Amino acid sequence: MPEKYDAIIIGSGIGGAAIGALLAHAGRNVVVLEKNKLPGGRCISYDRDGYLLDLGWHFFCLAEKGPLGEICNRIGMPGIIPWNTVKNTYLQIGEVVEKYTKKAMFAAVPEPDRGQLEKLFTKVFTITDEELEKLWYVPVEQWVHSFTKNAMANTIIDSFVCQYFCIPSTVASTAEFIRAFRDVMVAKASAYPDGGNTAVPTAYLSAMEKLGGTLKTNAGVKKIIVENNTAVGVVCEDGTEYRAPLIISNADISVTVLDLVGESHFPGDYVAKIKGLTYSIQGVVLRMVLSEKVTDKQCVIYIPDENSPPLKVTDQMKRGEVPDLVAGCYGSPTNFDPSMAPNGKQLLTSLHGCPPDITDNLDRWKEALVNSHMKVFPEAKGKVEKVWIDPPKLVNAFAGEGGNIIGVAQTVDQIHERRPSVVSPLKGLYFSSAEAGGHGIGTELAANSALELFEILKN
């Protein structure tokens, strides 16, 4: 006999874990089915030789002041995520290192373009709702060029866009960028949790279990059962069957629609839309273990030159070449949580945009990233004990989708009402992830998707 629940959630990433906690708090009997041994999706953290490593190194931009914190409040458990606010952040452009401030950004741009960049920043905070509504389908680059075409000014804005959405400003939505940028600047709450990135989905899943929900790992879903044009259950890889009136996918929306259900159960135009979706860029992560602590810097945004914003896949990379120095977000997880490394050691980590497959150039990427680390953390010279490089295929192994960093990209043709809805055309099937609905940056996009879906389902 199949196991019966009120809701079945496929995947335990931020969106799946969050909707699980919200529904459990509302009294629903829920089960989360996770294909991997470790829960958390792209937000897993795992042990390697005594070091706790994140699948992808990143911060949570709004932390407790955004949707991630709102979920904790909604389930009556504020404070369950052990946040450490980011306080010691720097901007390095070439050889110049400054505290990460607007003043440092403006100083990198020559007059008269400096004044134009300042006007752009002012506009972010003074723009009206009516003006913003007209910018959903305008690329950020086009909007920036209405202020300045200076290369460094554009690179500085592109660095925000690429770090937020993992797509370049040539295709990112201006309205989405302005909303996200304004939220971050006002909240001043960017944080990193004790226990690494996995602390966030783990907190939601633990709360869900306390509220009566169930988490099953190593429980990959093989197919979604459809009866009478309604999703009514799932069958796992091991043959176990589960039934529920609500089937919620936190997995890749394309895999869900085309493989787990089958396109014959959806309207043709919806299938075409799903097949045409594009995703965010892939990323490569470097981990460097030091014999001792050498820096107190928590985060450094590194821009080698005016043509290389952090997390952008440059034309040089697309040609298969590896830059000598690579822009990115550099930092030390152990400056937030020392327990992520053995006593006395320091862990340095960096995240960078890269082509989908860098297997043939992996040694060259490793060399370039180590050299870049030494530019950012010269104190590390002579202290390096281990170096690990994780290419996109590692993310792909855990989360699929070719190892992209976020999911369905927030491009001008996939934003606002052009984005897939959290409600599918198939009765009983819903989405809670960075693949559908929502607003915000990465994990917060997924959390907002969960909140959006919960508002629909709670009645």
Side-chain angles (χ1 to χ4, degrees):
M1 293 292 290
E3 295 185 32
K4 295 184 178 181
Y5 295 89
D6 295 327
I8 297 168
I9 301 165
I10 304 169
S12 66
I14 293 288
I19 193 65
L22 290 165
L23 288 173
H25 182 256
R28 304 288 182 95
N29 182 21
V30 301
V31 61
V32 173
L33 303 175
E34 169 56 54
K35 67 177 182 178
N36 296 314
K37 177 181 178 180
L38 298 173
R42 286 178 176 82
C43 272
I44 69 163
S45 303
Y46 60 94
D47 179 82
R48 181 186 287 176
D49 297 343
Y51 295 84
L52 185 62
L53 308 180
D54 296 320
L55 182 63
W57 159 250
H58 62 86
F59 298 104
F60 300 84
C61 292
L62 301 179
E64 63 183 355
K65 292 186 179 180
L68 298 168
E70 182 180 347
I71 289 164
C72 298
N73 294 334
R74 290 271 195 108
I75 62 175
M77 300 182 188
I80 60 173
I81 301 172
W83 294 115
N84 295 294
T85 303
V86 180
K87 298 177 181 178
N88 202 3
T89 306
Y90 292 81
L91 173 65
Q92 180 170 341
I93 299 179
E95 302 291 335
V96 179
V97 184
E98 302 279 355
K99 290 289 284 187
Y100 192 64
T101 63
K102 287 188 291 184
K103 182 179 178 181
M105 296 176 208
F106 297 154
V109 178
E111 291 288 6
D113 292 283
R114 182 181 305 167
Q116 290 301 108
L117 183 60
E118 291 176 357
K119 287 181 180 179
L120 183 153
F121 272 70
T122 299
K123 189 63 176 177
V124 167
F125 296 98
T126 59
I127 193 168
T128 66
D129 291 342
E130 292 76 16
E131 290 174 311
L132 191 65
E133 192 64 26
K134 297 176 182 178
L135 295 174
W136 280 109
Y137 312 119
V138 175
V140 174
E141 183 183 74
Q142 180 180 328
W143 182 71
V144 173
H145 282 179
S146 69
F147 292 88
T148 174
K149 292 186 179 180
N150 175 267
M152 182 54 75
N154 277 262
T155 292
I156 287 171
I157 298 302
D158 212 5
S159 73
F160 283 107
V161 174
C162 292
Q163 289 176 88
Y164 286 178
F165 310 126
C166 296
I167 53 175
S169 60
T170 52
V171 296
S173 162
T174 296
E176 181 73 341
F177 165 68
I178 291 175
R179 290 178 69 197
F181 186 68
R182 190 167 55 192
D183 289 347
V184 173
M185 292 298 168
V186 171
K188 296 181 179 178
S190 295
Y192 183 85
D194 283 343
N197 290 166
T198 194
V200 178
T202 298
Y204 295 154
L205 293 167
S206 296
M208 180 194 72
E209 291 179 308
K210 289 179 182 177
L211 294 165
T214 303
L215 168 66
K216 294 179 181 287
T217 55
N218 293 316
V221 171
K222 183 178 182 180
K223 73 172 184 175
I224 294 172
I225 303 168
V226 179
E227 296 175 354
N228 300 318
N229 298 315
T230 304
V232 297
V234 304
V235 178
C236 287
E237 295 288 350
D238 64 1
T240 305
E241 183 176 321
Y242 301 88
R243 293 270 177 155
L246 299 176
I247 312 299
I248 302 170
S249 179
N250 178 236
D252 178 359
I253 192 170
S254 297
V255 169
T256 302
V257 170
L258 304 178
D259 299 334
L260 299 184
V261 176
E263 59 185 81
S264 63
H265 295 287
F266 298 92
D269 59 345
Y270 185 78
V271 171
K273 180 177 182 178
I274 296 301
K275 287 183 176 180
L277 291 173
T278 57
Y279 293 76
S280 67
I281 63 167
Q282 283 78 12
V284 56
V285 180
L286 190 84
R287 339 281 189 158
M288 187 177 290
V289 175
L290 306 184
S291 57
E292 61 185 72
K293 182 175 179 179
V294 301
T295 179
D296 289 319
K297 293 176 181 175
Q298 293 176 319
C299 176
V300 180
I301 305 303
Y302 176 48
I303 301 175
D305 56 59
E306 62 188 18
N307 299 312
S308 304
L311 279 172
K312 182 175 182 177
V313 180
T314 64
D315 290 339
Q316 180 184 13
M317 294 177 189
K318 292 175 183 177
R319 294 193 298 266
E321 303 169 15
V322 182
D324 293 329
L325 297 172
V326 190
C329 179
Y330 293 73
S332 175
T334 47
N335 280 350
F336 295 95
D337 181 0
S339 70
M340 296 180 71
N343 188 38
K345 308 291 185 180
Q346 183 162 33
L347 180 63
L348 301 179
T349 305
S350 60
L351 173 63
H352 315 268
C354 70
D357 187 0
I358 60 173
T359 304
D360 292 341
N361 286 331
L362 197 58
D363 288 342
R364 179 71 187 91
W365 272 94
K366 185 175 181 179
E367 179 185 3
L369 293 177
V370 169
N371 290 339
S372 301
H373 266 268
M374 293 307 168
K375 283 286 185 180
V376 176
F377 300 111
E379 310 93 334
K381 292 179 181 178
K383 308 291 185 181
V384 179
E385 290 188 342
K386 297 180 183 179
V387 176
W388 294 304
I389 183 170
D390 290 333
K393 68 179 182 180
L394 181 68
V395 178
N396 186 56
F398 282 100
E401 300 179 340
N404 74 74
I405 297 174
I406 293 179
V408 172
Q410 291 151 284
T411 56
V412 289
D413 57 344
Q414 298 180 159
I415 201 68
H416 208 29
E417 74 265 15
R418 295 180 181 178
R419 196 161 182 82
S421 169
V422 295
V423 180
S424 89
L426 178 64
K427 185 178 178 182
L429 178 64
Y430 304 87
F431 304 103
S432 180
S433 68
E435 310 285 283
H439 149 69
I441 302 167
T443 56
E444 288 154 4
L445 173 67
N448 267 318
S449 176
L451 289 165
E452 185 179 324
L453 177 59
F454 181 68
E455 288 302 311
I456 293 170
L457 296 181
K458 68 180 184 180
N459 295 322

